[in-house]
Amino acid sequence: MLALRRASAFRVLILTAFLPLPQFAQDPAMVHYIYQRFQVLEQGLQKCTQAAREYIQDFQEFSKNISVMLGRCQTYTSEYKSAVRNLALRVERAQREIDYLEYLREAEVCTESEDKVLAEKQVQEAEEEKRIRTLLNASCDNMLMGIKSLKIVKKTMDTDGSWMKDAVRDSPKVYLLIGSRNNTVWEFASIRAFMEDSTKPGPRKLILTHSWQGTGQVIYKGFLFFHSQGTPNEIIKYNLQKRTVEDRMLLLGGAGRALAYPHSPSTYIDLAVDEHGLWAIHSGPSIHGHLVLTKIEPDTLGVEHSWDTPCRSQDAEASFLLCGVLYVVYSSGGLSPHRITCVYDPLGTVIEENLPNVFFPRRSRSHSMIHYNPRDKQLYAWNDGNQIIYKLQTKRKQPLQ
């Protein structure tokens, strides 16, 4: 009813607005036409009203459904959050277990790796020991027990120098090298000619093309081996007959950085010969370092092996090798005794505990050089201008196990 009243009022309003009242009242056809149009409009309004009601109803139902769904979503969200938290805890626990298993696996791998490295090291050490035994496998089983006697062969005016015979060749010649820096070698026909200046013919004078440094020279198979002056670590192999340099090498391992023996203030590299061949002795690179022992192949000047010895350089005055064993002579200076207090055997057959106290006869100064000659089994030494021969007392070494 309210809608019909509103429609009638709307028709009256339209009629009064568009047509003058007198004309409106006088034209029934127009009134009928307008009435029909308004009926059509009223039907459209009714349909629109019905559609709006249906829309409102549908929207209400939709809102209700949305509210229900939102409620369910909140429930699901809570459930999902709880499930996610549980899953995160399980993942974290699983990760810890994986980390633990990985730790166990790495520990096992490390143990296996350490065992493998240890086994490889043992194999290398066994091979190295075998190689050293092969290298030092000469028919020599003597070890030093004491100094039997001393003989002063000659006296010169020079504090430092060296003298020697060929360590291998069966030759009576004696060689004299005066001073710690020189290039002149005196060759005597025999030990008697060396002792007696009046013996004819006189010594042969050999002028080298290079000068030596220190007192660590040796003659081996007709060649003079010496530390070249002006170089930290060059060793020269000199052919005495041709008077030419046969070969040369650089001795590594810190050689030449420090004095080999503080009581021999010009010797940085000391060369030596024994039954096993040619050796070099020098101080290690550290301050107050220990002596380094190197085996040299005399034909090629290649390094066969090198050892860091426990023998300290401090207070040392000389050293020599006998049957592959290094004997180091120490002195505190002055009239103090010269004694061997450190022995190093690469094969481990000679140790200091098995040696008696080996003293050299008391001298007023330290030795400039002490070299062993494996051919006549004697020590050739230089002390305060005296050329000395020490005869030795030896005994057999313990056999290798």
Side-chain angles (χ1 to χ4, degrees), residues 168-208:
V168 177
R169 288 185 175 179
D170 186 13
S171 171
K173 293 180 180 179
V174 175
Y175 298 87
L176 179 68
L177 290 77
I178 300 175
S180 59
R181 290 177 174 83
N182 206 336
N183 69 334
T184 302
V185 178
W186 296 94
E187 180 186 271
F188 295 83
S190 65
I191 190 72
R192 180 175 295 275
F194 177 68
M195 296 172 63
E196 300 174 1
D197 294 335
S198 59
T199 302
K200 300 298 181 180
R204 186 166 70 121
K205 185 178 181 180
L206 306 176
I207 305 298
L208 309 182

Side-chain angles (χ1 to χ4, degrees), residues 45 118 194 227 243 300 328 344:
L45 289 174
L118 181 59
F194 177 68
H227 177 199
R243 302 190 186 186
T300 63
V328 185
Y344 178 71

Side-chain angles (χ1 to χ4, degrees), residues 139-158:
S139 57
C140 180
D141 57 357
N142 291 328
M143 58 182 287
L144 180 66
M145 293 303 295
I147 304 299
K148 185 183 299 185
S149 64
L150 170 151
K151 180 181 180 181
I152 298 178
V153 178
K154 189 181 181 70
K155 182 174 178 61
T156 65
M157 301 302 295
D158 301 281

Side-chain angles (χ1 to χ4, degrees), residues 188-235:
F188 295 83
S190 65
I191 190 72
R192 180 175 295 275
F194 177 68
M195 296 172 63
E196 300 174 1
D197 294 335
S198 59
T199 302
K200 300 298 181 180
R204 186 166 70 121
K205 185 178 181 180
L206 306 176
I207 305 298
L208 309 182
T209 58
H210 291 68
S211 297
W212 69 74
Q213 176 172 328
T215 57
Q217 305 85 18
V218 295
I219 293 181
Y220 187 83
K221 296 182 179 180
F223 295 95
L224 174 66
F225 294 83
F226 61 90
H227 177 199
S228 179
Q229 181 183 352
T231 68
N233 59 345
E234 183 180 60
I235 296 175

Side-chain angles (χ1 to χ4, degrees), residues 31-286:
V31 172
H32 180 71
Y33 172 74
I34 293 173
Y35 178 75
Q36 289 180 343
R37 299 298 296 173
F38 271 97
Q39 282 185 335
V40 172
L41 181 60
E42 186 176 1
Q43 292 176 356
L45 289 174
Q46 290 177 353
K47 292 181 179 179
C48 181
T49 300
Q50 182 65 28
R53 289 174 180 173
E54 293 177 353
Y55 172 77
I56 292 172
Q57 185 177 0
D58 292 342
F59 183 77
Q60 290 176 346
E61 292 180 356
F62 174 75
S63 298
K64 183 179 179 180
N65 294 333
I66 289 296
S67 298
V68 173
M69 294 176 65
L70 288 175
R72 292 177 180 176
C73 286
Q74 291 179 353
T75 302
Y76 293 154
T77 301
S78 300
E79 293 176 355
Y80 290 155
K81 287 183 178 180
S82 178
V84 168
R85 283 195 296 270
N86 293 335
L87 180 61
L89 292 176
R90 294 176 65 183
V91 169
E92 183 179 358
R93 185 166 56 252
Q95 186 62 47
R96 288 199 300 269
E97 293 177 353
I98 291 173
D99 292 341
Y100 178 69
L101 292 175
E102 184 68 19
Y103 167 76
L104 293 179
R105 189 184 70 82
E106 291 180 356
E108 183 178 355
V109 170
C110 289
T111 302
E112 293 177 355
S113 178
E114 291 176 358
D115 293 341
K116 183 178 180 181
V117 170
L118 181 59
E120 290 178 352
K121 183 179 180 180
Q122 291 175 346
V123 171
Q124 291 176 355
E125 290 177 351
E127 292 177 351
E128 185 69 13
E129 182 179 357
K130 182 179 179 182
R131 193 174 75 85
I132 293 174
R133 291 193 179 193
T134 302
L135 179 66
L136 303 180
N137 185 23
S139 57
C140 180
D141 57 357
N142 291 328
M143 58 182 287
L144 180 66
M145 293 303 295
I147 304 299
K148 185 183 299 185
S149 64
L150 170 151
K151 180 181 180 181
I152 298 178
V153 178
K154 189 181 181 70
K155 182 174 178 61
T156 65
M157 301 302 295
D158 301 281
T159 303
D160 298 319
S162 63
W163 73 292
M164 68 209 71
K165 297 172 71 175
D166 195 309
V168 177
R169 288 185 175 179
D170 186 13
S171 171
K173 293 180 180 179
V174 175
Y175 298 87
L176 179 68
L177 290 77
I178 300 175
S180 59
R181 290 177 174 83
N182 206 336
N183 69 334
T184 302
V185 178
W186 296 94
E187 180 186 271
F188 295 83
S190 65
I191 190 72
R192 180 175 295 275
F194 177 68
M195 296 172 63
E196 300 174 1
D197 294 335
S198 59
T199 302
K200 300 298 181 180
R204 186 166 70 121
K205 185 178 181 180
L206 306 176
I207 305 298
L208 309 182
T209 58
H210 291 68
S211 297
W212 69 74
Q213 176 172 328
T215 57
Q217 305 85 18
V218 295
I219 293 181
Y220 187 83
K221 296 182 179 180
F223 295 95
L224 174 66
F225 294 83
F226 61 90
H227 177 199
S228 179
Q229 181 183 352
T231 68
N233 59 345
E234 183 180 60
I235 296 175
I236 288 181
K237 177 182 179 181
Y238 195 88
N239 191 318
L240 292 175
Q241 297 301 320
K242 297 179 181 179
R243 302 190 186 186
T244 58
V245 174
E246 188 79 11
D247 203 351
R248 63 185 71 202
M249 69 171 291
L250 296 179
L251 186 62
L252 304 180
R257 298 181 185 177
L259 289 169
Y261 318 117
H263 288 290
S264 182
S266 59
T267 302
Y268 288 82
I269 299 175
D270 189 16
L271 298 172
V273 175
D274 72 347
E275 291 80 359
H276 296 292
L278 181 64
W279 303 78
I281 305 110
H282 65 86
S283 178
S286 61

